[in-house]
Amino acid sequence: MNVFYSVCLVLVILSMLGLLYRVWKGPSVPDRLVALDAVGVMLISAIALFSILFDTPFFIDAILLIAIMSFIGTVSFSKFIERGEIIERGPNR
Amino acid sequence: MVGRRILLEFVLLIFLPVIFAVLVPFVYKKIKGIHTGWFVLVVPLVLFGYYASFLPLVMDGGHAISEMKWIPSLGIAFTSYIDGLSLLFTLLITGIGSLVVLYSVFYMDREKEDLGSFYVYLLMFMTAMLGVVQSDNTMTLYLFWELTSISSFLLIGFWYTKDKSRFGALKSMMITVFGGLMMLGAFILLSIMGETFSVRELIAEAPELVSHPYFTLALVLLLLGAFTKSAQFPFYIWLPDAMEAPTPVSAYLHSATMVKAGIYLVARFTPIFGSASTWIWLVTGIGLLTLFWGSFFAVKQTDLKAILAFSTVSQLGLIMSLLGAGAISYHATAAVFGFATYAAIFHLINHAAFKGGLFMIAGIIDHETGTRDIRKLGGLMSVMPISFTVAAIGSLSMAGLPPFSGFLSKEMFLESMVALRHFELFNFDTWGILFPIVAWIASVFTFTYSMYFVLKTFMGQKKFDQLPTQPHEAPIGMLISPMILATIVILVFFIPNVIGKWMIKPAVMAIQPTLYANPSAIDIHVKAWHGFGAAGLWLTIGVVAFGTLLYLTIPKWQPLYRMQPDSLSLNNGYDAMMRGSEKGMNRVSRLYMTGKIRTYLLYMFAFMSVTIIALLFLKDAFVLDMNSFAAITLYGSLNAIVLILSVGFVVFAKSRLAAIIALGGVGYSVALFFVIFKAPDLALTQLVIETVSVALFLLAFKHLPALSTHGETKRNKMVNLIVSLSVGVMVTLVALSSHSQKMIPSISQYYKDTVKTEAAGGNIVNVILVDYRGFDTLFEIAVLAIAGIAVLGMIRLRVSRKEPTDENE
């Protein structure tokens, strides 16, 4: 069974490499951003596979965290691309 | 051999002037009606009287010592060691000091001058000088030596609003402090060689010191100190510039006392170094060269004080050369060399007397006519008869004529130099013939400038209409001091042996302690008349004849001086050196201090990597132990490829946004490494921090400059590449070799064993953070708090942009 997980892991990392190629090439910033978001998803899968391989429950927190972080990161990037800043000033200032 | 019991701890007397100096400003401010100098006069008079009471003790070859511990653990103490030599100098300092203070009462105007500062500096100098001549401890001797430099600096720059005063003060400070530091080096070497700071103990150990490898170095360093202080060639250049000081200062410091500190040093250390040929050659040779040089250039000067300054330089050279010749007595038994030391001390006293007087006369002329330029002066004899008499006595004594004291010492000097020819060691038989010739020519010039000084000023045609003020005789108070000195000059001629017995022989005993059993054993009897057979007599007659001839033809040959271009003078050399070193240092610092952080980082990284890599291989510290390596996993290597690609992307990115994204990639793959190496806590933290810092980069994005390559030439890039590669190599090598050689086993087993039993926790990382090593965590919390407050401060407290923030703008 371990062989199956290992093959999955290698595939995940290879797809990560593919996504990195997209980050590299671009050509536009949104292309890179979507690729990075997908890298986050690949990371989740990789860590899940690792915890199965290492037979440990300690990395489950990390999976949840990456899900949150990758979401926050993508949102802030998107907002940055759209508005040019992440945290806008309040209307009364 | 202390002849009597001395109740007072007389070492404290050294500090009497400086303690009194504290009171001077109060006296100056509170007592308006009376010139402050009258109060100050008490100090040197009391000291002179007290120290004179040591004369009988010292005359029998005794000495007195009084010590006050300062740093006992290092063996440093204030000492007052009074033997013949130090007593002689002490009496000169206090005696001439009293006369100078008396003179200054009439010279320095109470209304116009800042007398409070003047007397404070003068008293400070007096303490320093007493300390120099009485210290038996080399460290305190050095301390007082530097204090003389500093107080001399203050006194030369007394009229600090004048540019020339400040220049002269700085120049004398630079040169004498340079010498002082060299001398400190000599003292330290001596203390290493002899394992003591005490001069007497060093003298006792002198025979062993001679063979020490540091001996010659210490000798040269000590002579550098003595030569700079005593204005010997080529360090004499500060003395003419020091003439910007008030005249009492020139008379006191720059003729009678401070410039003789170097003479004192040479005399004091003759018992240690005197037996070395280097010493004899250097002291005699440089002394004679200075004598010749100073006397030759004195005729060129047109300023009265400058003539006297060059004359001081040349007379100091004379004394120095005699001390060198006196050191020969360690090798040759001929009586004439013991004679030389006697002559040196004798001339030292004479010079202090007549040169002090001459300076005071120069000051009087300046005071009464408003100028010191010899070209504007003339025919003052009829209006200033007393000054003329004193000046004539001083000049004739300086020229070496009877019936004045200078005649006796000059004759002894010429005899000693003639005798040098017969000394056979150290190549003196080859070159020794030069010494009497140079000495004789220098004496001719001495005669010439002495005549030049007195005759051009007081004789000739009257040019009173050119003078700023109408000349008249000085007030009697001003004339008292030079008159006393002139009286001494004449007295010494008629009773030389009384002074010899009381003062000179004990001093000679101190310089040549091994030669005589006690002062009365020195069988030197100075006579004015040696008969027609004496060489000195004929040489003196020759000096007078040729000197007169030279004086009469001055207008014909004085243009010769113009043949020496200014660019070749030593002063110009000094100026060029100062300017050049400033310019050079500026250029050097501008070369490496570019103000760009990039350059500084380059230096740091290059230096660090080169040193560490060199050290690794020089010390054979690089070890590669393949057995301790773990097996390489497939995921590990794949993730490494991801990491390397992301890093490469950060480095080669064309836009800043792309670089930030790639940096996020780096952070995430590092987090993945933490997962692979089973560190869940680290992975969690890394993920959060990475996201936050990427967000922060984006937050600051608007304020970041565009990613540009301005100023990045190809060469710069190559240098950066080389340095970054070498840093990478260094870190890799260090990591590999430190992994390969673990000196001690890890302590982590203890944590594993006790995490549950001792600390009641399951998560080792967290238990270490808050329990085993909670202090680190505490201060990392503090770091975070400080960073937060600092960010808040930076954002809120914005200084207006209009204010210049860079001081260079």
Side-chain angles (χ1 to χ4, degrees):
Chain A
M1 212 47 179
N2 268 351
V3 179
F4 172 73
Y5 293 128
S6 300
V7 171
C8 288
L9 199 51
V10 170
L11 283 176
V12 164
I13 292 179
L14 282 179
S15 52
M16 221 146 96
L17 281 174
L19 287 164
L20 274 177
Y21 173 75
R22 191 44 45 201
V23 173
W24 183 294
K25 267 294 176 199
S28 72
V29 175
D31 287 328
R32 293 181 171 143
L33 192 52
V34 173
L36 200 66
D37 193 46
V39 168
V41 178
M42 288 304 120
L43 262 178
I44 294 175
S45 339
I47 291 172
L49 288 166
F50 271 124
S51 23
I52 296 169
L53 272 176
F54 296 156
D55 195 18
T56 160
F58 291 122
F59 291 112
I60 308 298
D61 299 345
I63 293 171
L64 288 173
L65 197 76
I66 294 174
I68 300 165
M69 285 301 154
S70 143
F71 174 71
I72 294 175
T74 311
V75 167
S76 54
F77 258 116
S78 314
K79 193 170 176 191
F80 180 80
I81 291 165
E82 197 185 312
R83 302 267 172 91
E85 52 191 336
I86 302 174
I87 302 167
E88 285 161 88
R89 284 160 190 268
N92 53 353
R93 285 186 64 192
Chain B
M1 211 185 358
V2 178
R4 64 180 169 148
R5 206 176 140 80
I6 292 151
L7 292 171
L8 180 69
E9 277 293 320
F10 58 89
V11 59
L12 297 174
L13 279 182
I14 294 180
F15 299 100
L16 183 68
V18 90
I19 291 167
F20 194 80
V22 176
L23 302 176
V24 164
F26 296 109
V27 175
Y28 176 57
K29 290 267 162 62
K30 293 291 168 203
I31 305 173
K32 291 279 182 201
I34 308 169
H35 196 283
T36 318
W38 290 115
F39 299 99
V40 175
L41 184 59
V42 176
V43 176
L45 275 180
V46 165
L47 287 177
F48 184 79
Y50 178 78
Y51 284 119
S53 71
F54 282 92
L55 276 173
L57 165 77
V58 168
M59 198 174 67
D60 299 332
H63 62 80
I65 189 159
S66 162
E67 199 172 62
M68 185 173 74
K69 296 246 182 301
W70 183 26
I71 312 176
S73 56
L74 297 178
I76 295 175
F78 288 110
T79 339
S80 181
Y81 173 68
I82 295 188
D83 64 353
L85 187 62
S86 48
L87 185 63
L88 170 73
F89 272 91
T90 305
L91 291 179
L92 275 184
I93 293 159
T94 50
I96 297 193
S98 316
L99 295 177
V100 162
V101 171
L102 178 66
Y103 176 77
S104 73
V105 168
F106 295 94
Y107 187 86
M108 305 294 278
D109 193 290
R110 192 170 201 292
E111 305 294 323
K112 292 177 203 148
E113 308 282 7
D114 179 13
L115 289 180
S117 309
F118 181 76
Y119 287 112
V120 166
Y121 301 157
L122 204 68
L123 288 168
M124 214 164 96
F125 171 78
M126 212 177 278
T127 283
M129 210 52 217
L130 287 175
V132 165
V133 299
Q134 293 185 5
S135 283
D136 181 54
N137 191 294
T138 50
M139 287 300 118
T140 48
L141 170 54
Y142 170 72
L143 179 87
F144 286 119
W145 183 278
E146 291 299 28
L147 193 59
T148 64
S149 293
I150 292 166
S151 46
S152 163
F153 169 79
L154 291 169
L155 283 167
I156 296 169
F158 181 68
W159 288 314
Y160 54 85
T161 45
K162 288 200 293 181
D163 278 343
K164 280 178 111 180
S165 292
R166 293 201 303 270
F167 175 75
L170 187 66
K171 189 171 181 178
S172 71
M173 180 86 163
M174 294 300 277
I175 294 177
T176 52
V177 168
F178 161 75
L181 284 174
M182 296 299 120
M183 191 187 78
L184 177 64
F187 286 165
I188 291 171
L189 286 178
L190 275 175
S191 74
I192 294 170
M193 287 153 64
E195 290 172 351
T196 174
F197 285 128
S198 163
V199 180
R200 281 175 308 144
E201 287 170 29
L202 284 170
I203 290 174
E205 292 172 24
E208 293 103 77
L209 298 182
V210 176
S211 52
H212 200 281
Y214 291 156
F215 182 77
T216 309
L217 182 61
L219 187 159
V220 171
L221 289 178
L222 188 94
L223 280 185
L224 270 178
F227 286 171
T228 48
K229 200 70 158 186
S230 281
Q232 298 295 298
F233 186 89
F235 305 113
Y236 72 86
I237 50 172
W238 65 268
L239 190 62
D241 282 308
M243 291 302 127
E244 294 302 322
T247 304
V249 173
S250 308
Y252 188 35
L253 273 69
H254 305 129
S255 72
T257 53
M258 189 182 89
V259 286
K260 296 211 169 86
I263 304 275
Y264 168 79
L265 195 72
V266 168
R268 180 55 88 199
F269 283 87
T270 297
I272 298 178
F273 295 112
S275 51
S277 65
T278 330
W279 178 271
I280 295 171
W281 268 106
L282 273 178
V283 175
T284 319
I286 298 282
L288 263 186
L289 180 59
T290 314
L291 165 65
F292 173 74
W293 193 274
S295 62
F296 181 65
F297 281 99
V299 195
K300 181 190 178 185
Q301 309 303 321
T302 52
D303 178 21
L304 289 183
K305 277 173 88 176
I307 299 174
L308 292 178
F310 275 93
S311 132
T312 304
V313 167
S314 110
Q315 304 280 313
L316 290 170
L318 189 156
I319 300 170
M320 201 64 103
S321 67
L322 277 174
L323 282 176
I328 291 178
S329 62
Y330 284 95
H331 299 283
T333 45
V336 68
F337 297 117
F339 201 76
T341 312
Y342 189 94
I345 299 298
F346 192 32
H347 194 70
L348 183 106
I349 299 173
N350 289 342
H351 177 251
F354 67 69
K355 192 53 66 68
L358 285 176
F359 263 110
M360 289 174 186
I361 293 299
I364 287 172
I365 293 169
D366 188 16
H367 215 260
E368 303 307 329
T369 65
T371 183
R372 293 196 316 244
D373 193 329
I374 203 159
R375 288 167 299 190
K376 291 183 189 155
L377 295 167
L380 289 176
M381 187 171 73
S382 55
V383 283
M384 302 169 81
I386 305 176
S387 307
F388 167 69
T389 315
V390 173
I393 291 170
S395 300
L396 292 177
S397 180
M398 183 157 75
L401 292 186
F404 306 105
S405 61
F407 172 70
L408 302 174
S409 47
K410 185 56 83 55
E411 210 166 45
M412 282 195 265
F413 165 66
L414 290 173
E415 295 259 6
S416 312
M417 287 299 131
V418 170
L420 267 182
R421 199 160 41 100
H422 304 301
F423 180 54
E424 284 174 353
L425 275 175
F426 313 139
N427 288 331
F428 266 90
D429 38 358
T430 324
W431 301 100
I433 186 72
L434 278 175
F435 287 81
I437 294 173
V438 172
W440 187 79
I441 297 174
S443 301
V444 173
F445 276 105
T446 307
F447 183 86
T448 310
Y449 73 67
S450 304
M451 293 304 111
Y452 176 69
F453 176 80
V454 67
L455 295 183
K456 288 276 182 207
T457 315
F458 290 98
M459 304 287 219
Q461 59 192 134
K462 293 175 180 161
K463 294 179 255 182
F464 293 168
D465 48 323
Q466 292 177 25
L467 295 176
T469 53
Q470 211 45 37
H472 52 78
E473 187 58 275
I476 186 69
M478 228 179 195
L479 285 168
I480 292 174
S481 297
M483 274 156 70
I484 292 173
L485 288 170
T487 318
I488 291 173
V489 167
I490 298 177
L491 269 183
V492 168
F493 178 78
F494 290 107
I495 50 161
N497 293 309
V498 174
I499 289 171
K501 188 180 164 205
W502 284 80
M503 294 169 86
I504 304 176
K505 284 183 182 173
V508 171
M509 262 303 286
I511 302 172
Q512 298 172 322
T514 51
L515 291 188
Y516 310 105
N518 59 64
S520 44
I522 304 173
D523 52 346
I524 300 171
H525 195 80
V526 181
K527 284 180 293 185
W529 180 250
H530 293 285
F532 286 109
L537 178 71
W538 296 105
L539 287 173
T540 307
I541 291 172
V543 164
V544 174
F546 276 90
T548 315
L549 191 71
L550 268 183
Y551 173 72
L552 291 175
T553 54
I554 277 183
K556 295 220 172 77
W557 58 273
Q558 215 175 19
L560 270 179
Y561 286 116
R562 277 184 232 126
M563 287 175 55
Q564 186 213 19
D566 270 350
S567 55
L568 286 181
S569 69
L570 283 169
N571 277 322
N572 198 302
Y574 168 84
D575 291 343
M577 199 182 75
M578 296 303 277
R579 243 182 292 120
S581 56
E582 195 182 326
K583 247 188 216 160
M585 286 324 289
N586 268 339
R587 200 172 297 151
V588 167
S589 48
R590 228 179 276 136
L591 201 70
Y592 73 91
M593 290 176 65
T594 55
K596 289 177 187 149
I597 293 179
R598 196 184 66 194
T599 332
Y600 301 151
L601 285 178
L602 212 62
Y603 299 148
M604 285 187 235
F605 283 131
F607 182 76
M608 183 173 73
S609 57
V610 166
T611 19
I612 292 184
I613 291 175
L615 223 85
L616 270 182
F617 289 102
L618 284 178
K619 294 277 166 194
D620 280 333
F622 183 70
V623 179
L624 195 59
D625 177 16
M626 300 287 261
N627 297 328
S628 66
F629 290 174
I632 298 171
T633 59
L634 181 63
Y635 332 116
S637 33
L638 279 175
N639 196 36
I641 292 170
V642 174
L643 185 64
I644 290 167
L645 284 177
S646 314
V647 169
F649 192 52
V650 173
V651 175
F652 293 107
K654 287 280 184 285
S655 83
R656 196 179 284 284
L657 201 56
I660 292 171
I661 293 173
L663 204 59
V666 173
Y668 282 148
S669 52
V670 168
L672 200 58
F673 264 121
F674 287 146
V675 173
I676 295 174
F677 294 126
K678 297 171 191 163
D681 293 301
L682 282 182
L684 283 177
T685 319
Q686 170 69 21
L687 286 166
V688 179
I689 293 302
E690 194 55 45
T691 314
V692 170
S693 51
V694 167
L696 279 178
F697 270 122
L698 291 174
L699 201 63
F701 189 84
K702 224 165 66 176
H703 307 289
L704 294 176
L707 201 61
S708 73
T709 53
H710 68 96
E712 290 280 325
T713 58
K714 213 164 195 174
R715 205 168 134 230
N716 263 348
K717 277 187 178 171
M718 277 311 290
V719 173
N720 288 354
L721 182 68
I722 291 168
V723 170
S724 54
L725 279 180
S726 72
V727 170
V729 168
M730 171 202 84
V731 173
T732 316
L733 291 180
V734 169
L736 285 177
S737 52
S738 64
H739 184 80
S740 300
Q741 37 191 346
K742 294 215 165 79
M743 304 296 180
I744 44 172
S746 165
I747 57 165
S748 54
Q749 193 56 45
Y750 168 78
Y751 293 137
K752 283 184 202 159
D753 295 343
T754 59
V755 66
K756 283 227 169 60
T757 55
E758 300 278 334
N763 185 331
I764 295 189
V765 175
N766 291 0
V767 169
I768 289 176
L769 282 181
V770 300
D771 193 330
Y772 291 123
R773 308 183 58 177
F775 270 122
D776 293 355
T777 315
L778 178 66
F779 290 106
E780 271 150 32
I781 292 169
V783 168
L784 266 185
I786 291 167
I789 294 168
V791 167
L792 187 73
M794 259 164 47
I795 293 170
R796 283 287 167 85
L797 307 173
R798 235 183 251 181
V799 184
S800 161
R801 274 175 198 277
K802 280 172 195 164
E803 282 178 40
T805 49
D806 189 0
E807 61 183 22
N808 292 330
E809 276 172 2

